[in-house]
Amino acid sequence: EFVRNIGKGTNPVFLSEYGVGYQLELYDLYYELVKTAHTDHPSIEYYNVQIQKLEKWIEKYSLQKVYPTARDFLMASINAGANQRRESIDPVRANPNLCGYSLTSFSVGNEGVYFRNGGFIPGVVDAIRESFAPLKWSIFMDKTELYEKDTLEIELVLCNEDLLDAGKYTAFASVT
């Protein structure tokens, strides 16, 4: 609601430094530093400690039953981040009071589209491409879980970058 209403009742607003961060791929960072950095580089020990903490945490909560390795857990978190990126852009696109938006950290890091050692973070580029399509629906629901006999309110906002001329159009929606 906050992002959808920024600028309401004021002049158009430019939104900067807004985005979703991801879990760092600790193993790749650690092994890359071990290969390329001086042996006393402070981040080597830092990432090693983080990996040990992660592995203990996974063991403590028996997550190896779901994620065979800690790296699998990290990748699931990173994949979830791609979906969160998609969901975080919809309110931006649906806000007519925004005159611009700076996509947070498009490059490398735990907010960008590339792993530090190269290669795209799975799903993120597709999420961004889909989110910024010139014509798309942004969908908002009042609940994230629904039980039998619950009601659900759905709002569809058409995000149009001048692909459709002003006018009335008919749209059909189906909820399954």
Side-chain angles (χ1 to χ4, degrees):
E1 283 301 310
F2 175 76
V3 174
R4 287 197 60 200
N5 289 298
I6 292 173
K8 195 172 191 175
T10 68
N11 291 327
V13 172
F14 179 83
L15 179 62
S16 68
E17 294 306 315
Y18 169 75
V20 175
Y22 312 114
Q23 174 60 51
L24 292 172
E25 214 309 359
L26 297 172
Y27 292 91
D28 286 349
L29 292 169
Y30 174 75
Y31 294 128
E32 187 68 23
L33 280 171
V34 167
K35 281 190 329 190
T36 61
H38 193 274
T39 55
D40 65 350
H41 190 290
S43 292
I44 291 175
E45 180 59 22
Y46 172 78
Y47 289 129
N48 188 34
V49 168
Q50 296 306 310
I51 287 169
Q52 290 174 19
K53 286 180 180 179
L54 174 65
E55 290 173 350
K56 285 179 185 173
W57 185 80
I58 287 174
E59 186 177 324
K60 176 180 178 182
Y61 292 103
S62 299
L63 292 175
Q64 66 275 17
K65 293 175 183 175
V66 179
Y67 305 101
T69 69
R71 176 173 259 155
D72 292 325
F73 172 82
L74 291 175
M75 290 311 298
S77 173
I78 289 166
N79 290 333
N83 290 328
Q84 291 170 343
R85 164 98 46 192
R86 182 180 286 109
E87 291 171 7
S88 74
I89 294 174
D90 269 357
V92 171
R93 292 288 312 273
N95 185 338
N97 306 306
L98 296 176
C99 63
Y101 166 52
S102 175
L103 182 65
T104 302
S105 189
F106 189 74
S107 62
V108 175
N110 60 329
E111 299 172 337
V113 298
Y114 296 105
F115 286 120
R116 290 186 195 274
N117 66 344
F120 288 117
I121 297 173
V124 175
V125 174
D126 290 335
I128 292 170
R129 184 181 299 117
E130 292 166 15
S131 296
F132 286 108
L135 184 66
K136 71 174 288 290
W137 290 105
S138 288
I139 304 169
F140 302 96
M141 299 180 291
D142 68 338
K143 296 177 184 161
T144 57
E145 297 173 355
L146 195 64
Y147 298 94
E148 188 176 6
K149 298 184 182 181
D150 279 357
T151 60
L152 175 67
E153 184 175 316
I154 300 173
E155 180 182 2
L156 301 171
V157 177
L158 184 62
C159 302
N160 175 26
E161 291 180 14
D162 300 325
L163 284 182
L164 291 177
D165 293 329
K168 289 189 173 194
Y169 295 88
T170 302
F172 296 92
S174 174
V175 178
T176 304

